[in-house]
Amino acid sequence: MKTLIIVLTLVSNVVLAKTVNPQGNFVRSCYEDDTDFLASVITIKNANWTFTHTGYEDESCAKPYIVYEEKFSAAIDGIHLDLQATEASYTTLTDTVTEALNMIAYCGFQDWKTGEKKIVTDLICDDYAPPRVGETRFTIFQVSEDGSTLALGKKSFGNEGTSSERRHKEVGSGHYIKN
């Protein structure tokens, strides 16, 4: 009987610690982030995770003006998610935004073209530094039991995600819905 309890305990621990690797597209519809209105998609194909954030001029997310995209190679261990950056880019969607970015030489470029993707990995873009190639973000993730929602870790004091010791400890409130 004692052996049976030990075996059942070991089996249940293995099942509960099972690593889940979600696949497909997960969408977060129109939401406000600081003063921006965004819609975001996480596309997951094997170890490749792509975060696409579309910026909108309006709160109903009807008028897109820019797309920011980050690509990562992911390593998953239980709920731990390590995202190693491979690329970051912007694509302007309106001539007005294109002209404005050219005027301020955003990310060091003065040749922005509407609809053309600009790789900005390793650059400084005004007061924002996109990830450097190979830079790793250390976070956690949670997938609903039926696989229909995905939530990622959020920054908190001392847990900024900059190292495995500073890995995010809490899941954020913004959930992505499987598309």
Side-chain angles (χ1 to χ4, degrees), residues 107-124:
C107 304
F109 295 112
Q110 290 184 307
D111 61 347
W112 290 88
K113 291 185 176 91
T114 303
E116 184 178 287
K117 179 176 166 177
K118 283 279 193 195
I119 307 299
V120 297
T121 320
D122 298 323
L123 301 177
I124 300 295

Side-chain angles (χ1 to χ4, degrees), residues 35 52 82 125 130:
T35 59
T52 305
D82 297 347
C125 300

Side-chain angles (χ1 to χ4, degrees), residues 66-79:
I66 199 161
V67 174
Y68 177 66
E69 186 175 83
E70 293 180 331
K71 295 182 178 185
F72 298 91
S73 177
I76 296 173
D77 182 13
I79 64 166

Side-chain angles (χ1 to χ4, degrees), residues 38-170:
L38 303 170
S40 300
V41 177
I42 302 173
T43 302
I44 306 167
K45 185 175 182 184
N46 300 317
N48 300 311
W49 288 51
T50 301
F51 293 75
T52 305
H53 307 285
T54 303
Y56 292 87
E57 296 176 9
D58 59 317
E59 63 188 37
S60 63
C61 292
K63 299 176 188 172
Y65 68 91
I66 199 161
V67 174
Y68 177 66
E69 186 175 83
E70 293 180 331
K71 295 182 178 185
F72 298 91
S73 177
I76 296 173
D77 182 13
I79 64 166
H80 290 179
L81 174 62
D82 297 347
L83 297 167
Q84 188 173 57
T86 58
E87 183 180 285
S89 65
Y90 282 104
T91 304
T92 60
L93 302 177
T94 69
D95 291 339
T96 304
V97 171
T98 301
E99 183 179 330
L101 295 185
N102 280 326
M103 286 176 56
I104 63 169
Y106 194 67
C107 304
F109 295 112
Q110 290 184 307
D111 61 347
W112 290 88
K113 291 185 176 91
T114 303
E116 184 178 287
K117 179 176 166 177
K118 283 279 193 195
I119 307 299
V120 297
T121 320
D122 298 323
L123 301 177
I124 300 295
C125 300
D126 199 17
D127 62 347
Y128 177 68
R132 297 177 312 277
V133 171
E135 178 181 325
T136 302
R137 293 182 182 166
F138 299 87
T139 190
I140 58 174
F141 76 105
Q142 183 177 58
V143 178
S144 63
E145 198 171 303
D146 65 0
S148 66
T149 62
L150 170 69
L152 299 173
K154 67 176 185 173
K155 292 180 182 180
S156 60
F157 182 75
N159 300 303
E160 297 86 10
T162 55
S163 67
S164 58
E165 294 79 25
R166 294 179 164 265
R167 180 181 304 280
H168 299 150
K169 302 284 187 227
E170 302 173 36

